[in-house]
């Protein structure tokens, strides 16, 4: 079996967990796997002669400044003596917009980065047209399971429903690990929350590695909107972009343009009473507030925002960072096919990325 080369961009929470899962997988894989690049925003470990980087000690290996992207990175990978899989563990749009160029050169891509799949519909079309997924000869494959529900098998399930001829009518649920954690801890189903303010819960979610690098990207609803855009497009809706439908934001207007995530978090506590009121209003009606999303193929609608749920509902009963995703289809009728479990966190996300890498390995000659 020929050797497969892996290049990793992004070694933060998810990237580091991915590297240790890859090390374990590669040590037992029948197919030789050689990691030749681990690149962060300001430094990189590069194996110029394509010999394997030791994944147990990469963080103390000699580093250089990063290869420029896309130019040097593309040149380095396109000259590789065997098939290459590029793993994008960043949340960078600047990287995502160049996927098609890599795919056209036969380089496969696996990624938890939502940017490429939830920006313009033109970018989505360009990426899929350039990939081997759609039969483009000599091109690379692209998989992005971890862009929705982290490691939960959401996209692979949707794909299989569609490929086997089912008709998806609507998909709804809790799509954000951060939002789930925030409301499960700030407005728990029973008991009080120990006096925690909303802002304190946001800082905790960030420390646990659930949030985007800037938690405003979760709180403004855009992260959920991106996931629904991906699901809607896979289901056949031509959603123009992740901002082409109504999204309820929980970011106070006056904090939208605060420069850094840290400064935002410092000031968020000033707005704790607003969220307390939302919580108390729901409680007075006998329910709990949760942040949810839905897309409806029949009405061509996507929606994202807060809703009040009955205390006996499955959504009200979620714990931790759990997502719950319900597929209403022709075959499953009104008793939906439901996927539930942790929807954020480094290890479960890395699992989704490694699972995709294994899918590519199975397809490569
Ligand atoms: N955390 C989670 O639970 C989940 C995350 N995801 C997605 O996974 C991705 C990674 O998330 P996470 O690990 O939490 O984020 P982090 O912020 O922890 O890590 C991001 C990494 O990307 C690197 N990076 C950023 N921009 C560039 C660039 N232009 N060139 C090279 N490296 C770059 C950063 O470099 P440096 O180390 O120098 O800062 C860092 O290593 C995101 O797209 C996120 O949406 C998806 C599902 C769940
Ligand atoms: N920030 C996201 C991470 C996974 O996509 C979330 O909280 O769900
Ligand atoms: Na997933």
């Amino acid at each position: 079996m020929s050797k497969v080369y892996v290049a990793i961009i992004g070694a933060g929470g998810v990237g580091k967990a991915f590297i240790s899962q890859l090390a374990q997988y590669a040590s037992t894989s029948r197919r030789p796997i050689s990691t030749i690049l681990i690149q962060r925003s300001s430094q990189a470990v590069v194996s110029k002669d394509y010999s394997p980087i030791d994944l147990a000690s990469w963080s103390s290996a000699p580093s250089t400044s990063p290869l420029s992207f896309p130019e040097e990175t593309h040149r380095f990978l396109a000259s590789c003596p065997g098939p290459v899989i590029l793993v994008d563990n960043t949340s960078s749009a600047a990287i995502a917009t160049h996927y098609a160029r890599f795919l056209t050169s036969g380089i496969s891509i696996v990624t938890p980065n939502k940017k490429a799949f939830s920006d313009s519909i033109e970018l989505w079309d360009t990426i899929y047209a350039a990939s081997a997924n759609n039969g483009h000869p000599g091109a690379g494959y692209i998989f992005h399971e971890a862009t929705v529900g982290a490691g939960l098998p959401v996209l692979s399930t949707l794909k299989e429903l569609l490929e086997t001829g089912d008709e998806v009518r609507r998909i709804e649920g809790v799509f954000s690990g951060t939002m789930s954690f925030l409301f499960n801890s700030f407005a728990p189903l029973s008991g009080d929350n120990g006096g925690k303010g909303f802002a304190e819960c946001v800082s905790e979610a960030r420390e646990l590695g659930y949030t985007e690098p800037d938690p405003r990207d979760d709180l403004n609803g855009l992260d959920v909107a991106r996931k629904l855009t991906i699901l809607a497009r896979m289901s056949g809706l031509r959603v123009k972009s992740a901002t082409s439908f109504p999204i309820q934001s929980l970011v106070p207007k006056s904090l939208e343009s605060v420069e850094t995530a840290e400064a935002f978090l410092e000031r968020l506590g000033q707005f704790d009473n607003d969220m307390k009121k939302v919580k108390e209003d729901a409680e007075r009606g006998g329910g709990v507030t949760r942040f949810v999303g839905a897309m409806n193929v029949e009405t061509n609608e996507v929606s994202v925002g807060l809703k009040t749920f009955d205390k006996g509902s499955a959504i009200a009963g979620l714990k931790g960072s759990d997502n719950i995703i319900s597929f209403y289809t022709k075959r499953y009728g009104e008793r939906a096919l439901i996927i539930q479990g942790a929807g954020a966190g480094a290890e479960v996300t890395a699992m989704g990325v490694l699972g995709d890498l294994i899918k590519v390995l199975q397809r490569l000659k």
Side-chain angles (χ1 to χ4, degrees):
M1 272 182 162
S2 69
K3 188 185 270 188
V4 173
Y5 296 83
V6 174
I8 301 167
I9 307 190
V14 174
K16 283 197 190 105
F18 172 79
I19 291 168
S20 57
Q21 290 183 19
L22 177 65
Q24 194 188 358
Y25 177 78
S27 70
T28 55
S29 161
R30 281 180 45 234
R31 185 150 200 170
I33 297 171
S34 177
T35 299
I36 51 170
L37 174 69
I38 301 178
Q39 175 137 308
R40 306 179 72 154
S41 57
S42 56
Q43 52 180 324
V45 179
V46 190
S47 170
K48 290 259 161 64
D49 62 356
Y50 301 105
S51 61
I53 295 167
D54 178 10
L55 295 182
S57 62
W58 69 272
S59 55
S60 51
S63 60
T64 60
S65 48
L67 302 182
S68 71
F69 193 91
E71 293 305 332
E72 284 176 328
T73 308
H74 182 267
R75 208 174 309 127
F76 176 60
L77 300 185
S79 312
C80 197
V84 179
I85 305 176
L86 173 64
V87 186
D88 173 13
N89 284 323
T90 74
S91 60
S92 165
I95 291 180
T97 48
H98 294 286
Y99 286 171
R101 175 168 179 186
F102 286 81
L103 292 167
T104 307
S105 307
I107 296 164
S108 294
I109 297 173
V110 297
T111 182
N113 181 355
K114 295 155 211 118
K115 296 288 161 61
F117 314 98
S118 56
D119 279 13
S120 71
I121 186 78
E122 289 77 20
L123 182 59
W124 168 277
D125 288 343
T126 307
I127 288 169
Y128 276 100
S131 76
N133 304 48
N134 279 358
H136 187 66
Y141 292 91
I142 185 157
F143 291 101
H144 53 98
E145 176 61 80
T147 57
V148 182
L152 297 175
V154 177
L155 300 190
S156 53
T157 301
L158 175 57
K159 190 164 171 281
E160 207 156 310
L161 285 168
L162 295 168
E163 281 177 353
T164 58
D166 202 351
E167 285 170 26
V168 174
R169 292 175 172 157
R170 56 185 217 277
I171 305 175
E172 56 190 43
V174 171
F175 296 90
S176 162
T178 298
M179 291 291 204
S180 187
F181 174 83
L182 289 179
F183 287 94
N184 298 340
S185 31
F186 178 65
L189 194 53
S190 56
D192 67 20
N193 71 3
K196 268 185 210 159
F198 191 70
E200 191 182 339
C201 297
V202 176
S203 296
E204 248 178 73
R206 191 175 195 225
E207 274 153 33
L208 287 165
Y210 299 156
T211 68
E212 295 304 301
D214 187 329
R216 278 173 291 189
D217 292 336
D218 296 287
L219 292 176
N220 65 11
L222 190 54
D223 182 74
V224 174
R226 287 188 184 282
K227 290 166 180 164
L228 283 160
T229 300
I230 294 169
L231 291 171
R233 287 177 177 170
M234 283 184 68
S235 308
L237 292 186
R238 300 280 298 164
V239 177
K240 258 179 76 183
S241 77
T243 51
S244 59
F245 47 85
I247 307 172
Q248 183 177 1
S249 171
L250 305 185
V251 177
K253 267 257 161 294
S254 59
L255 301 189
E256 276 173 0
S257 49
V258 170
E259 211 160 303
T260 63
E262 288 67 29
F264 164 73
L265 285 170
E266 258 170 43
R267 292 172 56 183
L268 185 61
Q270 296 164 11
F271 297 84
D272 272 356
N273 278 340
D274 295 355
M275 288 311 295
K276 193 161 169 250
K277 184 172 177 317
V278 170
K279 172 184 155 174
E280 288 170 352
D281 284 350
E283 279 170 1
R284 261 192 297 281
V288 288
T289 297
R290 297 293 184 255
F291 197 91
V292 293
M295 74 95 197
N296 190 319
V297 175
E298 288 166 339
T299 60
N300 196 5
E301 279 171 344
V302 185
S303 60
V304 174
L306 286 174
K307 265 193 176 172
T308 301
F309 288 86
D310 187 86
K311 287 195 171 173
S313 66
I315 285 186
L318 291 179
K319 298 267 188 295
S321 69
D322 281 5
N323 284 185
I324 182 166
I325 292 149
S326 301
F327 293 89
Y328 292 89
T329 74
K330 186 172 177 200
R331 284 192 196 126
Y332 282 86
E334 274 311 296
R335 287 174 34 252
L337 183 164
I338 298 172
I339 296 174
Q340 180 179 339
E347 290 294 336
V348 293
T349 306
M351 166 210 153
V353 183
L354 182 61
D356 280 349
L357 184 135
I358 295 169
K359 282 181 207 136
V360 175
L361 289 178
Q362 288 161 347
R363 285 164 174 78
L364 289 176
K365 300 241 165 53

